[in-house]
Amino acid sequence: MKFFSQNQIKKIAVILISSWFVVYSLMQFSAPTISDPIATGEFKGPMEVKRIFERACYDCHSNETKLQWFDKIAPFSYMVSADIHEARKRYNFSTWDTIAPADQEVKLWYMVNMIEAGKMPLPKYALLHPKAKVTEKELLILKSYVTGLSTRNHSPGDTMKIKVAKVSFQERKKINHNMVPTSINGISYFEDYKNWKVIASTNRIDNGTMRLVYGNDITVDAIRANRINPWPDGAIIVKVVWNVQPEDKDGNVSPGNFNNIQVMVKDHKKFSQTEGWGFARFSGLDLKPYGDHVSFATACIDCHRLVTNNGFVFDVPTQKTDLVIK
């Protein structure tokens, strides 16, 4: 067996150290930069609430990032940049007003639940930024603020009806046609779902929402006959989402602010790129259609692929007797 001499070992060590230094230096020059665009619609909650968010969340979830010196050193700077990019994509306090009020409430519920679970701020972030940790007292302040937002309001569609009622009878038909919210993929909002059967009810504890799921006759017949993989063309599923109110003294939970309506339409030819399902979401009392490009449906079906065995549909009754007949 051949062994290296001490001089050879020293030369190898020098080469390795030099190579590492070159790579390290190049990483510093090529490290990503984090821009801070001007705030266009910042969060306007109570000052005591805003201060908690500023300290615990703003470094990642706003355009007011305050980097420490160690955040700027590669390779850590690459991880910091990726975390901030992902965080701003989820929600950004600097563009808060661009989110529908009902969606704001959902995101706030989600934040509170994540903080209470110890998942936010991220443990790796809190380790290096201990001042970002939220105390029990501060968590109670956040909970009080969020639960105070959950007051009952109009039902979906009421806003549109009120606007139409203010115009003359001769103009109503034309305005009704023009005012129907329509998703970019051609799926329009409709109110006939209220006459359909309720096929499921669900709660999302993580973001403080409750839902009723409706199905048209084709959907109900498919469930009863266990013909859901694939679902027949013409099946339509509507999920109505409300933010929940705080529990009353008896432990009852009631729906609060209306959040959104989600629609799934089965047409294997028209929506062939998304497993035969067309998706639409109408948010807030003005039923604003979600998505600026038809590609938004890709994200929808990617999530629904988690339930391939159910024909890409969540919350399907496990037995036909589970159907609630209305």
Side-chain angles (χ1 to χ4, degrees):
M1 180 179 290
K2 183 179 179 180
F3 294 95
F4 292 107
S5 65
Q6 285 190 344
N7 287 334
Q8 288 175 321
I9 292 174
K10 289 180 180 179
K11 288 180 180 179
I12 293 173
V14 170
I15 292 172
L16 290 175
I17 293 173
S18 300
S19 300
W20 177 85
F21 182 76
V22 170
V23 172
Y24 178 79
S25 299
L26 290 174
M27 289 179 68
Q28 306 312 313
F29 285 112
S30 61
T33 57
I34 299 172
S35 61
D36 289 322
I38 297 175
T40 56
E42 62 181 348
F43 176 74
K44 296 183 176 65
M47 186 53 65
E48 63 176 352
V49 171
K50 186 175 181 179
R51 284 172 179 161
I52 297 171
F53 285 143
E54 285 177 338
R55 197 189 72 249
C57 310
Y58 269 44
D59 270 356
C60 293
H61 292 282
S62 81
N63 296 342
E64 300 178 38
T65 302
K66 297 177 181 178
L67 297 177
Q68 302 294 326
W69 64 268
F70 47 79
D71 293 324
K72 303 176 184 179
I73 299 175
F76 304 110
S77 57
Y78 288 85
M79 294 184 286
V80 170
S81 177
D83 285 346
I84 292 174
H85 176 75
E86 179 63 26
R88 288 178 178 176
K89 189 166 60 174
R90 289 179 180 271
Y91 53 86
N92 188 331
F93 282 107
S94 296
T95 57
W96 192 250
D97 282 356
T98 64
I99 307 172
D103 285 336
Q104 291 177 3
E105 190 176 326
V106 168
K107 291 183 183 297
L108 288 168
W109 264 116
Y110 181 76
M111 293 177 209
V112 168
N113 286 323
M114 291 292 281
I115 291 172
E116 188 169 31
K119 296 181 179 179
M120 291 297 288
L122 292 175
K124 63 181 181 181
Y125 173 84
L127 183 64
L128 297 174
H129 304 79
K131 291 183 179 180
K133 294 180 181 179
V134 178
T135 66
E136 289 294 326
K137 181 179 179 180
E138 290 171 333
L139 181 59
L140 288 175
I141 292 173
L142 296 180
K143 281 186 176 181
S144 176
Y145 170 64
V146 175
T147 54
L149 298 174
S150 299
T151 54
R152 190 184 303 273
N153 60 20
H154 299 90
S155 299
D158 282 356
T159 300
M160 184 165 63
K161 292 177 183 177
I162 292 170
K163 290 180 180 178
V164 172
K166 292 180 179 179
V167 302
S168 66
F169 176 81
Q170 290 80 4
E171 294 175 331
R172 288 185 186 180
K173 185 175 181 180
K174 178 180 178 181
I175 291 181
N176 262 315
H177 174 74
N178 291 338
M179 288 182 64
V180 174
T182 302
S183 178
I184 196 167
N185 59 5
I187 298 176
S188 297
Y189 170 78
F190 57 94
E191 293 200 2
D192 190 50
Y193 74 86
K194 296 177 182 178
N195 300 315
W196 296 356
K197 291 183 174 64
V198 174
I199 61 175
S201 61
T202 63
N203 288 325
R204 283 279 303 274
I205 297 175
D206 63 322
N207 64 14
T209 59
M210 59 195 310
R211 298 105 184 279
L212 282 181
V213 186
Y214 297 80
N216 65 354
D217 288 342
I218 296 175
T219 298
V220 172
D221 290 343
I223 294 173
R224 285 173 169 159
N226 196 26
R227 293 186 296 107
I228 66 172
N229 200 5
W231 291 78
D233 278 7
I236 304 177
I237 298 170
V238 174
K239 182 180 292 184
V240 186
V241 184
W242 292 270
N243 300 331
V244 299
Q245 296 188 80
E247 291 185 6
D248 63 19
K249 59 184 177 66
D250 298 318
N252 298 313
V253 177
S254 302
N257 294 331
F258 165 70
N259 190 307
N260 68 73
I261 287 180
Q262 302 168 21
V263 182
M264 292 178 65
V265 178
K266 183 63 188 298
D267 186 326
H268 78 280
K269 291 183 178 179
K270 185 175 181 180
F271 304 112
S272 60
Q273 299 300 312
T274 49
E275 306 289 358
W277 283 105
F279 297 89
R281 188 172 83 186
F282 305 96
S283 299
L285 291 178
D286 57 353
L287 299 169
K288 182 179 179 180
Y290 174 81
D292 297 324
H293 190 275
V294 291
S295 61
F296 82 88
T298 301
C300 296
I301 194 58
D302 284 347
C303 183
H304 280 258
R305 286 194 175 100
L306 295 172
V307 285
T308 303
N309 292 338
N310 284 348
F312 309 102
V313 177
F314 289 101
D315 307 320
V316 178
T318 55
Q319 298 178 5
K320 60 184 179 182
T321 54
D322 290 339
L323 290 176
V324 179
I325 307 301
K326 285 187 65 178

